[in-house]
Amino acid sequence: MLKQLYIRNFTLIERLDMTFREGFSVITGETGAGKSIILGAIGLLKGQRADSKLIKRGADKCVIEAHFDLSRYGMEAFFIDNDVEYDPDDCIVRREITASGKSRAFVNDTPVPLSVLKELGEQLIDVHSQHQNLLLGTQDFQMEVVDIIADDRHLINDYRAAFDKYRLKQYQLDEMRRQIENNKANADFLQYQYDELSAASLVEDEQKELEALSNQMSHYEDIKTALYQADNALSGEGNGVTENLRTAINALHSIESVMPKAGELASRMDADYIDLKDIADEVEAQLDNVDFDPKRLDNINDRLDKIYSLEKKYHLDTVEQLIHMRDTLRKQLENIENGDGDLRILEGEVEKTHKEAEAKAATLSEARHKAARKIEKEISQRLVSLGMPNIQFVICLTSTDLTPSGADKVAYMFSANKNVPLQPAAQVASGGEIARLMLSLKAMISGAVKLPTIIFDEIDTGVSGKIAERMAEIMCEMGNNERQVISITHLPQIAAMGATHYKVFKEDKDDVTVSTMTMLSAEDRVREIAQMLSGSDISEAAINNAKALLKYK
């Protein structure tokens, strides 16, 4: 629950430090006194968008800070998941806005993204303002109420997993159909391309080898001349390197008996001779093998021209890429040929996942129907006690095609009078009837969700007298059920029911007007409620009426 609210330099509020109590509290004040400003500050703590224009004139920063007691609400998992320190007895939420427009959010002095602040705020405070009555006409809100009472989160998760699986298979089926249709439309062209590439009998690394051969044969004369010169230098009669080396070796061996060092040198030269002789033989063999065949060169160049032509045609750079394209084309042609069979298999998978999703949706619908009957019964009972004896309230759930939220369409049907047919509640209910219906729904939801703090902003619009008193009793019941309920009201019947009473008012301070808030004493409450009853001139009768409403002794 909200224990303390601190506001500094926010619009007309210079400084406000207010303590709140558990149970049912009320806030009163004249129109324009600043109640909406306080709600705006709380909205910022719930992650609403910040604007530097909200900063009080002349200030460089505004700060809004709230302290919460979370000890009865089991929220530790949220703090662990978001790596924020958990203090159940004093959770501090703070928002700071600078004049430059920069906004920062903190939870227990840990900086957090606005998304985390918003998620936490939704679990801490529910603010019900008059515009939220418009939610009654939306499918999302109506179904959310049903799901909350059904406590069907696990069923929704199971259904969504099955639905997502079905949607994925359906997407794959649609893509396969599209691909098959495209392939069939292009089948002749694909076959032509495949036949052309297949007829080329492409081989990996072929292009590199052919280019090397073409280059070599194009330089035949240079190669022949160089090999001849090398062979003559190595093996030529009388001046060949190998013959001269052999002569040197023999000469050294001839004197090794008288000069051992000569034998060592000869032995070293023997190894060199063997290597050099082997090289000379290889050069001679290459010379014998070098031959120029113009026809073969033409064949090689023709083959290269074919490869280059295919690469240019298909905008590719290598034979390997052409081979990959050929193989891809083959697979596409095989898919066209086998596509109907694959299509039937995937159609079966789609049908299977669709049935699984339908089964999950049926289970979810059953839970929703049970919850709808429960809501109808409780809301009708509450509305009767709120002065609507002839109330008819029915939740119509009808089947639809599968959607991300299930296979149900919901409509809240309403009639407040005898012999008047049921019609959509948002269309036919008056302002006062809508207020009572929304209060009843909120009371029911709060019991299921266990929200720590609920703030009603003038939910009593359109009601008065005994009905207002009964609405106050409902809010009291909610406040006595381990939650904190705060009602901003203009009705004395509701104001008198609060266990704690706060007043918002404006006052002149120096040369500016500021809004402030105070907790009223017992005597101040009497005067405030008397003023609400009679206006600015408080009569003795109004004082007595106020005391009666307060059960003053």
Side-chain angles (χ1 to χ4, degrees), residues 354-405:
H354 185 264
K355 288 181 178 179
E356 290 172 351
E358 283 185 325
K360 298 290 186 182
T363 303
L364 177 59
S365 293
E366 183 180 356
R368 285 171 169 171
H369 277 278
K370 289 180 180 179
R373 304 293 80 80
K374 179 180 179 181
I375 296 169
E376 290 171 352
K377 182 178 179 181
E378 181 171 333
I379 295 302
S380 295
Q381 290 173 347
R382 288 184 179 275
L383 291 177
V384 168
S385 69
L386 286 170
M388 300 169 68
N390 300 313
I391 183 65
Q392 298 177 69
F393 178 72
V394 176
I395 297 177
C396 291
L397 285 167
T398 54
S399 298
T400 67
D401 293 334
L402 297 181
T403 71
S405 60

Side-chain angles (χ1 to χ4, degrees), residues 145 148-150 371-380 382 393 395 437-450 454 474 478 481 483:
V145 172
I148 288 172
I149 302 306
R373 304 293 80 80
K374 179 180 179 181
I375 296 169
E376 290 171 352
K377 182 178 179 181
E378 181 171 333
I379 295 302
S380 295
R382 288 184 179 275
F393 178 72
I395 297 177
L437 177 54
M438 287 299 290
L439 176 61
S440 300
L441 288 171
K442 286 285 184 175
M444 193 173 191
I445 292 171
S446 68
V449 176
K450 301 294 184 185
I454 302 173
I474 291 175
M478 295 169 64
N481 191 18
R483 70 184 49 79

Side-chain angles (χ1 to χ4, degrees), residues 53-344:
K53 294 178 182 178
L54 298 173
I55 300 175
K56 191 176 185 300
R57 183 183 299 177
D60 58 357
K61 181 174 74 171
C62 78
V63 177
I64 301 162
E65 180 176 291
H67 294 245
F68 294 89
D69 180 354
L70 308 181
S71 57
R72 293 180 293 185
Y73 300 99
M75 296 176 63
E76 185 174 4
F78 173 87
F79 291 83
I80 293 174
D81 291 343
N82 290 283
D83 196 24
V84 174
E85 181 184 352
Y86 178 59
D87 185 348
D89 298 318
D90 188 24
C91 173
I92 305 172
V93 180
R94 186 169 74 255
R95 188 85 179 270
E96 298 179 357
I97 306 168
T98 65
S100 63
K102 185 177 180 180
S103 170
R104 296 193 299 170
F106 303 84
V107 176
N108 291 334
D109 291 325
T110 300
V112 297
L114 203 58
S115 58
V116 172
L117 183 70
K118 186 174 183 179
E119 184 180 353
L120 177 61
E122 289 174 351
Q123 298 180 54
L124 294 177
I125 303 178
D126 176 32
V127 178
H128 181 91
S129 56
Q130 292 183 54
H131 78 270
Q132 281 193 304
N133 289 339
L134 299 175
L135 291 174
L136 192 60
T138 67
Q139 280 275 319
D140 289 346
F141 174 76
Q142 293 180 14
M143 189 62 78
E144 183 182 10
V145 172
V146 173
D147 285 332
I148 288 172
I149 302 306
D151 192 20
D152 57 8
R153 178 54 50 189
H154 61 294
L155 297 178
I156 292 175
N157 291 338
D158 288 347
Y159 165 75
R160 284 180 179 166
F163 178 76
D164 289 343
K165 187 176 179 181
Y166 156 66
R167 285 287 296 271
L168 176 61
K169 289 295 181 182
Q170 185 63 57
Y171 172 79
Q172 292 173 342
L173 177 61
D174 293 340
E175 283 296 298
M176 179 178 285
R177 284 172 174 162
R178 184 185 62 79
Q179 188 63 48
I180 288 174
E181 288 301 316
N182 289 341
N183 287 346
K184 285 182 177 179
N186 298 323
D188 291 342
F189 181 60
L190 295 176
Q191 187 68 54
Y192 165 77
Q193 289 181 314
Y194 173 73
D195 290 343
E196 183 176 42
L197 291 174
S198 182
S201 302
L202 300 167
V203 179
E204 288 189 7
D205 296 327
E206 178 185 14
Q207 181 177 346
K208 293 178 182 178
E209 294 173 2
L210 290 174
E211 287 173 340
L213 280 172
S214 176
N215 187 48
Q216 180 177 315
M217 294 183 72
S218 298
H219 294 81
Y220 165 76
E221 293 294 340
D222 295 336
I223 295 171
K224 190 77 173 178
T225 299
L227 288 174
Y228 176 80
Q229 291 174 345
D231 178 63
N232 187 57
L234 289 168
S235 305
E237 292 184 9
N239 62 347
V241 173
T242 54
E243 184 178 341
N244 290 335
L245 185 60
R246 182 75 268 172
T247 299
I249 292 170
N250 290 337
L252 290 172
H253 276 304
S254 68
I255 61 172
E256 63 182 339
S257 60
V258 294
M259 186 182 178
K261 185 65 175 177
E264 293 177 11
L265 293 172
S267 296
R268 289 169 61 187
M269 293 172 67
D270 279 335
D272 294 332
Y273 175 78
I274 293 172
D275 288 340
L276 196 57
K277 186 67 170 66
D278 184 61
I279 292 171
D281 292 341
E282 180 66 24
V283 169
E284 184 179 4
Q286 289 293 330
L287 180 61
D288 292 338
N289 290 333
V290 170
D291 189 20
F292 177 69
D293 184 351
K295 186 175 182 180
R296 188 184 179 204
L297 179 60
D298 289 341
N299 290 338
I300 290 172
N301 288 334
D302 287 344
R303 179 63 174 169
L304 285 172
D305 288 343
K306 177 65 174 178
I307 292 172
Y308 294 150
S309 176
L310 289 172
E311 289 174 348
K312 182 178 180 180
K313 181 175 183 178
Y314 293 108
H315 306 287
L316 300 173
D317 298 320
T318 65
V319 168
E320 287 71 27
Q321 291 175 345
L322 289 170
I323 292 173
H324 177 72
M325 181 178 180
R326 178 199 66 195
D327 294 343
T328 300
L329 289 167
R330 184 183 69 250
K331 290 179 181 178
Q332 287 179 312
L333 291 167
E334 289 173 353
N335 288 339
I336 293 174
E337 187 175 338
N338 303 323
D340 291 340
D342 295 338
L343 196 64
R344 284 192 294 272

